[in-house]
């Protein structure tokens, strides 16, 4: 597939568990994917931060990857997060995803020991050489512990042929400016920080990687459309309408918030895995109020 | 004057010195102010960071304030920065500025010892009670050493009647979102971080406080107009055209860069006061190239 | 065993791999453990940061834990790191270690999503209720992404009976002061930041958790002895002698540096697992020089 | 005077004001200086952070400098802080202090605009060339906004002949290690962070720059003596006894805390200048309790 088709609202899936977080609930996963696609999102991204990919065993990870790709069934592109602490396991996951039909794989340089720039470069290169699908490089120091500079990102984009997209989640809009300027407008970048949705699009982001469409897909899509229509006033209005919910999601944690939100709409997807707590009762009420205000 | 008239491009003046930075050059100051007004800026702001207000003696400060207000001569509003380490001296400066005709005074909570929220509040209150003109609260931790939270800012706005405007310079666009949301859209905010010019306007900033119009007034004004026209694509294009220069100004330091830029256009305004260096030769050449590329 | 026996120099083991990092080399692991014990360390700690515990599969982790405990064979206490992203897996590892004879288990609250204080507390509580051996709480935000405040640490120590020791690795000596003062001198703390070895002991640390004894055991032991002798001048002298090596280890990364150092002394233990690089050639030479200067 | 005589407990003076902070109270200043000297401190340092030097007019600064030096009257060395935002004014103050008999001048690179390393170097060089007395370089990013690296500090020490002492106040003990190692033990360093008093001495600091002797001189002196006696156990005990007060002073702000403490012992020295608040009532009670516990 052509990378250029990855754009717009990229919906991140949760990973449903049965009671006590012990077993996968693939049935619920299928329904949550269908909902997202039917709501109009432009791509589906399983096993990201929202999908608790880091909290799954290898066997579970394989199941979720394979099932998700099959469920999407090419209705929209599928972007599978294949990050792992070791290069060997990230390579294995990337190959697994490609073999089962992923259109894109996403790679965060997860770390325990802080990685040098050369180590990060080699990590991407090893993965890039192992698969034929495009790779979305993902920068999110808050979860990975590693902050890739724009210079390093562009070095990787130039040096590893199939790293063709960049997802930026530092929360600093100036990174996107720098990506645009130093990348001479040629490196497609995507926003992974919900509260920057408006500014990122205005700065030229091709897409918004977000779990919000699980709860408010139409508002997310409308914002994107307002930007395509070049209408600042409408985009600003749509953004400020959904911002309280976006802020709440960030503060409450994506798996806990999205899972609670889906439950409140009748789709039971279980709780996050411990040590991550489900949303507390008071926060659940706040979430319901926020959602009600947006209907 | 009504606060609502403060909007658009607010041009910050430099403070010209004669050779070796020892004496004020009021003649050059007058010409630089005229240039700004003739170029179309919507307000003039003397003695800010760009104006090296912190590096002047009290007598010099008074001279520059009085002269600048007289020179502007109500062609546009004048916003005078009156910040000082002690409350007593900030009050004295605010009164001086008001007496000589300033339309607005701007206050940064400059600090040596870190200030508590109550100390900052009392500082603004003391100044507010001493003058009748509106006050623009200025948050810029990089120069003041004090970062005011949005909650504190709104507490001051609510508690001190004539603090009616907020200038935000943290470089974090989410502060402006929060000001908009928690201030219920009623607190006018202004952007003081050049590289955020586009996003701040899109987020709802009423004005852009900037020294850039000393060098590229038309581009600054065009960006503002594109936002008024609600045209995202045009605003983005205009922003990215001027961004390399805005980034360069920030990196090189405003007094050094603007003074070098004015010199290159034939207006000699001297160098910054030591320990701040004038722009080095190589940077001067880069500046000329950047300016040439924008003509 | 009584917690009070954990003191002095606690030697962290590496995890040897065969060529290309694919297989465990238990034979080399056995020899490295024997070396440490024969050099006089007061305890052995497998599977910590140095031991690349985070980079092992579950099966490998079990092998290394079981083998290490058996090899130590109660010559000194064994402290096994059982950290994992999920509570369920950390509990499993803690039980496994206890069942195979670990004297103490160490727990770092590893995180992908930032954990709240309540989530961290519940994590320790779940582990504490699952085993009978003492738990060493480990605070190291640089690797875990989570910085536990002294207040939270003391809340855990008070609320979870078998959390009886604290390993502090923030690099901020004032944390140890606060642990001493707020813990009323009753909570044994251990230093996990090599360049703070001197100050931590002076501040009252009961032990130094370090991989350095793989390379310079006598200097480490001598520093501890000088502190027991209360001799500031001798302790300072011994500290500054080994500081260049301790700094080098920190900068080069513990697995890479220790593995290169062991290789240079004739014990082949392989390289770290990718994406972590082995020590580069120039750094290998520097390491040899540093080691030679200490002989 | 020889630099080598600067050692031990260096007592920082407050600057007493009459009611409402409007006038200097030189009489009270004289008595506070006498108290410090009679208590046994090894040097007196007026106009530092504690002395609110940054909050005085030029005329007041001159008065306090001249009076303090005269009052000390060479009973111990006098170290006068001469920091100012502009190089010209810092030079003027340094010359003034030297002319009136200061033994040492101390320079913090105060900044509004962030300074480059070359700007800082030139600032020290200009001052160094203007006076004959030794200069104590002072690094305190919390108040100056500028953090000088050890490399920069050593460059200044090497390049400016009379910069012969370094006062380190970052709160990071590893800076002192680095100063010791890279300075090859030849650059005398002094500790300016009260809660690091013990560790700094253990790391080799020649002196402790502190306002604490205004309140607890004997404990400060005893700690220094215990270190001279090389007795870790006694030094640790003395340190932990005074630590709660040292922490309280840091948290409450030095001018407010020391002034309240002196008042409670019968020496009225007024309040700090606004916007800095005097100590609140509850904190005053805490301070009295802390002081009572140490008698």
């Amino acid at each position: 597939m052509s990378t250029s088709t990855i754009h717009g609202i990229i919906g991140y899936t949760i990973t449903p568990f049965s009671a006590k977080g012990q077993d996968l609930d693939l049935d619920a996963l299928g329904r949550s994917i269908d909902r997202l696609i039917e709501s109009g999102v432009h791509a589906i991204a399983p096993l990201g931060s929202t999908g608790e990919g880091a909290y799954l065993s290898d066997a579970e990870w394989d199941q979720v990857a394979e099932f998700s790709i099959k469920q999407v069934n090419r209705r929209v592109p599928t972007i599978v997060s294949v990050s792992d602490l070791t290069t060997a396991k990230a390579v294995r996951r990337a190959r697994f995803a490609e073999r089962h039909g992923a259109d894109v794989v996403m790679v965060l340089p997860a770390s325990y020991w802080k990685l040098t720039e050369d180590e990060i470069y080699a990590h991407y290169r090893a993965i890039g050489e192992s698969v034929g699908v495009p790779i979305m490089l993902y920068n999110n120091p808050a979860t990975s512990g590693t902050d890739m500079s724009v210079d390093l990102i562009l070095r990787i984009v130039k040096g590893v042929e199939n790293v063709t997209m960049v997802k930026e989640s530092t929360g600093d809009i100036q990174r996107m400016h720098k990506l645009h300027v130093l990348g001479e407008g040629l490196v497609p970048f995507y926003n992974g920080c919900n509260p920057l949705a408006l500014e990122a699009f205005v700065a030229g982001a091709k897409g918004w990687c977000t779990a919000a469409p699980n709860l408010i897909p139409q508002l997310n899509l409308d914002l994107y459309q307002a930007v395509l229509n070049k209408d600042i006033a409408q985009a600003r209005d749509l953004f400020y309408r959904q911002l309280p919910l976006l802020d709440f999601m960030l503060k409450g944690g994506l798996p806990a918030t999205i899972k609670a939100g889906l439950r409140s709409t009748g789709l039971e997807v279980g709780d996050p895995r411990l040590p991550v707590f489900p949303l507390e009762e008071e926060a659940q009420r706040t979430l319901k109020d926020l959602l009600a205000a947006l209907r």
Side-chain angles (χ1 to χ4, degrees), chain A:
Chain A
M1 91 168 325
S2 160
T3 299
S4 64
T5 59
I6 305 295
H7 71 99
I9 303 302
I10 298 161
Y12 277 64
T13 58
I14 43 82
T15 297
F17 296 118
S18 61
K20 300 206 175 177
Q22 281 160 346
D23 300 304
L24 296 174
D25 180 349
L26 295 181
D27 186 56
L29 175 57
R31 271 177 289 144
S32 78
I33 290 173
D34 286 349
R35 266 202 193 190
L36 278 168
I37 296 177
E38 286 156 17
S39 74
V41 300
H42 305 97
I44 290 285
L47 291 162
S49 302
T50 305
E52 298 174 71
Y55 299 84
L56 303 181
S57 71
D58 285 344
E60 289 172 332
W61 189 93
D62 288 359
Q63 270 190 287
V64 172
E66 186 175 354
F67 179 89
S68 300
I69 297 165
K70 203 171 287 177
Q71 184 77 19
V72 174
N73 195 21
R74 303 209 175 278
R75 287 178 283 177
V76 294
T78 306
I79 303 169
V80 179
S81 297
V82 300
S83 314
D84 194 276
L85 264 189
T86 64
T87 301
K89 282 179 74 173
V91 163
R92 191 199 70 78
R93 287 184 169 181
R95 284 180 172 153
F96 183 95
E98 178 179 42
R99 197 165 61 242
H100 287 84
D103 298 290
V104 175
V105 296
M106 190 174 82
V107 177
L108 176 80
S111 71
Y112 182 88
W113 288 101
K114 291 281 165 278
L115 299 174
T116 65
E117 299 214 331
D118 284 346
E119 286 169 339
I120 294 170
Y121 182 87
H123 187 65
Y124 277 100
R125 192 178 178 89
I127 300 169
E129 287 172 350
S130 306
V131 293
V133 291
I135 295 172
M136 182 181 276
L137 174 152
Y138 178 22
N139 189 38
N140 188 351
T143 55
S144 74
T146 295
D147 190 2
M148 292 184 277
S149 70
V150 172
D151 289 333
L152 173 59
I153 289 173
L154 291 176
R155 184 183 151 207
I156 295 169
V157 168
K158 271 172 203 156
V160 186
E161 202 184 358
N162 46 350
V163 174
T164 54
M165 295 167 270
V166 175
K167 175 179 170 192
E168 238 291 317
S169 295
T170 52
D172 177 6
I173 190 70
Q174 296 188 47
R175 297 291 183 94
M176 295 190 193
H177 297 165
K178 213 173 166 185
L179 268 168
H180 178 87
V181 171
L182 296 183
E184 296 177 356
L186 301 173
V187 179
F189 56 91
Y190 299 78
N191 172 42
C193 177
N194 285 316
L196 286 191
L198 172 61
E199 286 81 12
F201 275 135
V202 169
K206 270 194 76 175
W208 177 14
C209 299
T210 175
N214 286 287
L215 305 183
I216 49 166
Q218 199 54 50
L219 278 167
N220 307 144
L221 291 160
D222 289 350
L223 172 56
Y224 178 57
Q225 191 57 50
V227 174
L228 290 184
N229 296 345
K230 303 182 187 174
D231 188 338
I232 289 182
Q234 204 197 350
R236 181 195 296 151
D237 182 60
L238 284 160
F239 172 68
Y240 277 124
R241 277 186 65 206
Q242 60 196 288
L243 180 58
L245 182 66
L246 299 178
D247 278 338
F248 180 85
M249 281 164 45
L250 193 70
K251 203 178 145 201
L254 290 175
T257 318
I258 301 294
K259 285 185 163 182
L262 286 173
R263 176 179 290 155
S264 82
T265 63
L267 180 50
E268 177 58 52
V269 290
D271 287 329
R273 274 206 171 146
L274 293 174
V276 178
F277 279 1
L279 213 59
E280 289 179 9
E281 273 191 38
E282 197 186 320
Q284 287 178 33
R285 279 192 296 273
T286 305
L287 176 59
K288 273 186 196 165
D289 292 347
L290 284 167
L291 287 172
L294 292 176
R295 263 173 223 131

